[in-house]
Amino acid sequence: GASIGWFTLIAAKLVGEKGKVIAIEPEPNSFALLTKNIKENGFENFVSAKQAVASDSQEKKTLYVVGDAWTWSSTEDPRNDYEHKVGSNFGNNDDTTIHEYQVDAVRIDDISPQRVDFIKIDVEGVVDPVFRGARETIRRNPGIKLLIEDPTPFITQTLEKMGYVHKVIDIDNTFFWKH
């Protein structure tokens, strides 16, 4: 999600008042800071924040938050593959209590404007449903660029079939664009 808005604020500076940025963040504490950061930077007229998870449906989802690390949350239960999802991200003395929240879900296709130039997806392991919920937006905007954290083979192959190329930016992120 958008977390507290670091990349949202960068995108807002880049597009200015002639553009539009939509930031989606489900975790309540992160969302509160996201909206505060948008307002304090004077971007509320062209940045829209939605408290929800991006997905391929509009049904409610369970959001899992570990301890007080509210900038890390996921709709995948971290108790499944705990060491990979939780243990490697927290120290031995950190609070690893798992909190659960019911949150709304939105499809990017349902909330995006007609023209979209860029989508960033960083959703802690549940990238396929987000991508499926954005496919029409991607098809409708042939010049769109995407930055996706941990894209699955499904996403990479789907985008390649649509004429996209990609470059791995770092260990987690891949940039996709059309030649």
Side-chain angles (χ1 to χ4, degrees):
S3 188
I4 63 172
W6 176 261
F7 290 105
T8 301
L9 298 179
I10 292 171
K13 280 226 183 245
L14 290 171
V15 304
E17 292 187 19
K18 293 182 180 176
K20 179 148 181 82
V21 175
I22 299 173
I24 304 168
E25 173 55 48
E27 202 286 322
N29 295 298
S30 292
F31 184 78
L33 281 173
L34 169 66
T35 55
K36 179 181 177 186
N37 287 332
I38 291 166
K39 184 174 183 178
E40 286 187 0
N41 283 277
F43 296 146
E44 59 266 38
N45 290 332
F46 57 98
V47 176
S48 171
K50 307 255 185 233
Q51 187 173 5
V53 295
S55 190
D56 55 359
S57 72
Q58 294 183 347
E59 64 188 39
K60 291 247 186 211
K61 304 281 185 191
T62 301
L63 182 71
Y64 300 92
V65 180
V66 179
D68 60 359
W70 38 266
T71 58
W72 184 97
S73 59
S74 178
T75 56
E76 279 191 336
D77 190 337
R79 290 170 284 237
N80 302 330
D81 196 11
Y82 182 88
E83 186 53 39
H84 174 73
K85 293 178 184 158
V86 178
S88 62
N89 295 306
F90 296 89
N92 292 334
N93 297 324
D94 289 339
D95 177 8
T96 54
T97 306
I98 297 171
H99 306 278
E100 298 180 19
Y101 303 93
Q102 290 300 304
V103 295
D104 291 330
V106 296
R107 291 172 4 104
I108 291 172
D109 287 342
D110 294 335
I111 64 170
S112 67
Q114 268 310 107
R115 179 175 166 214
V116 177
D117 297 313
F118 183 78
I119 294 176
K120 179 183 181 298
I121 302 174
D122 177 352
V123 290
E124 306 306 334
V126 288
V127 69
D128 282 351
V130 177
F131 179 78
R132 285 192 303 268
R135 282 169 95 168
E136 184 53 38
T137 300
I138 295 166
R139 279 192 189 101
R140 189 175 66 238
N141 293 276
I144 195 169
K145 292 162 184 64
L146 302 105
L147 181 61
I148 303 176
E149 182 186 53
D150 297 326
T152 62
F154 162 72
I155 292 172
T156 301
Q157 291 165 6
T158 301
L159 288 171
E160 285 174 348
K161 288 177 186 171
M162 295 171 71
Y164 284 81
V165 294
H166 66 275
K167 177 165 180 58
V168 175
I169 303 296
D170 61 31
I171 194 167
D172 294 322
N173 295 289
T174 303
F175 186 68
F176 294 86
W177 74 97
K178 279 194 176 179
H179 257 309

